């Protein structure tokens, strides 16, 4: 019966390879949920337009699309259309969704797709630059830089104050996470 070390020698893998595989498996498992957030964080949420409060001379009525409302002046009987500037979301949607946190509804709804596009562009840039990083600084140092920067960008992603800060951290996190994925494969193949 083979012992574990003899089996590794037969396969052509040493203890160093096993340590690297275990370390990067943990890194990839911790990094994976950020890629799933695109599917769950920008999904459909229930919301309604918050009508402005006014005096008794104006009657406000929300439209079915929840993106605009009508204001009827009771004195002149004139009706005017206005875009909503604030929304009320279902309980929990503000804290658990990018849509509720950054008001990605109505005229800002197109930004939902930008989140995913920015991540893909970051992966493209990262897949090209990560090998240069590992060639310039070495596999180990390149991996440490990529993993550390990716984790720091994840914190920035979580606590970003606006959508554009989120987009910046999302892009950088995708760039560095590609380094965290590609550099180990290069290191293990050498």
């Amino acid at each position: 019966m083979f012992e574990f070390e003899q089996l590794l020698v037969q396969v052509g893998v040493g203890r160093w390879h096993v340590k690297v595989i275990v370390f990067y498996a943990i890194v990839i498992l911790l990094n994976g949920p950020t890629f799933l957030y695109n599917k769950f964080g920008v999904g459909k949420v229930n919301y309604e337009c918050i009508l402005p409060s006014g005096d008794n001379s104006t009657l406000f009525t929300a439209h079915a699309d929840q993106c605009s409302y009508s204001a009827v002046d009771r004195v002149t009987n004139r009706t005017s259309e206005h875009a909503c500037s604030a929304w009320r979301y279902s309980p929990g949607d503000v804290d658990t969704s990018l849509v509720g946190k950054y008001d990605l509804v109505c005229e800002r709804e197109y930004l939902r797709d930008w989140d995913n596009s920015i991540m893909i562009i970051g992966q493209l840039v990262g897949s090209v630059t990560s090998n240069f990083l590992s060639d310039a600084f070495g596999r180990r140092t390149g991996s440490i830089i990529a993993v550390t920067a990716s984790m720091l960008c994840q914190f920035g992603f979580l606590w970003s104050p606006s959508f554009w800060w989120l987009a910046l951290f999302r892009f950088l996190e995708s760039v560095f996470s590609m380094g965290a994925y590609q550099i180990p494969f290069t290191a293990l193949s050498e």
Side-chain angles (χ1 to χ4, degrees):
M1 188 94 155
F2 282 108
E3 288 186 22
F4 184 66
E5 283 190 33
Q6 290 176 338
L7 180 63
L8 292 177
V9 170
Q10 290 292 328
V11 174
V13 176
R15 283 196 174 274
W16 180 84
H17 290 95
V18 172
K19 288 178 189 177
V20 170
I21 290 170
V22 168
F23 173 74
Y24 286 114
I26 292 169
V27 167
I28 289 171
L29 286 174
L30 294 176
N31 199 7
T34 60
F35 294 107
L36 294 175
Y37 195 74
N38 282 20
K39 298 301 173 202
F40 301 108
V42 293
K44 186 98 171 125
V45 297
N46 296 321
Y47 62 93
E48 62 184 4
C49 178
I50 297 176
L51 299 175
S53 59
D55 54 13
N56 291 334
S57 66
T58 307
L59 173 67
F60 298 104
T61 307
H63 293 174
D65 67 355
Q66 297 299 333
C67 294
S68 60
Y69 63 92
S70 298
V72 179
D73 188 337
R74 291 183 180 176
V75 176
T76 62
N77 206 22
R78 289 190 175 170
T79 302
S80 57
E81 298 290 323
H82 303 278
C84 289
S85 59
W87 295 269
R88 183 179 303 113
Y89 298 95
S90 297
D93 285 341
V94 174
D95 298 330
T96 60
S97 170
L98 293 177
V99 176
K101 187 175 181 181
Y102 300 114
D103 287 332
L104 302 181
V105 293
C106 298
E107 70 274 354
R108 292 174 51 94
E109 190 169 358
Y110 72 95
L111 294 174
R112 292 183 193 187
D113 296 328
W114 272 65
D115 179 54
N116 195 35
S117 299
I118 288 168
M119 183 190 77
I120 302 267
I121 292 169
Q123 289 175 341
L124 175 70
V125 171
S127 65
V128 172
T129 59
S130 64
N131 288 326
F132 292 115
L133 175 72
S134 67
D135 288 341
F137 298 106
R139 306 288 183 247
R140 182 177 179 181
T141 306
S143 294
I144 291 170
I145 290 171
V147 169
T148 304
S150 177
M151 289 185 344
L152 291 174
C153 288
Q154 287 176 19
F155 284 114
F157 170 74
L158 290 173
W159 292 309
S160 55
S162 71
F163 177 79
W164 296 110
W165 277 106
L166 171 111
L168 174 68
F169 285 118
R170 185 73 158 160
F171 173 79
L172 293 174
E173 192 274 331
S174 296
V175 168
F176 289 115
S177 67
M178 286 310 289
Y181 291 143
Q182 286 187 338
I183 296 172
F185 291 116
T186 306
L188 288 172
S189 66
E190 292 178 339

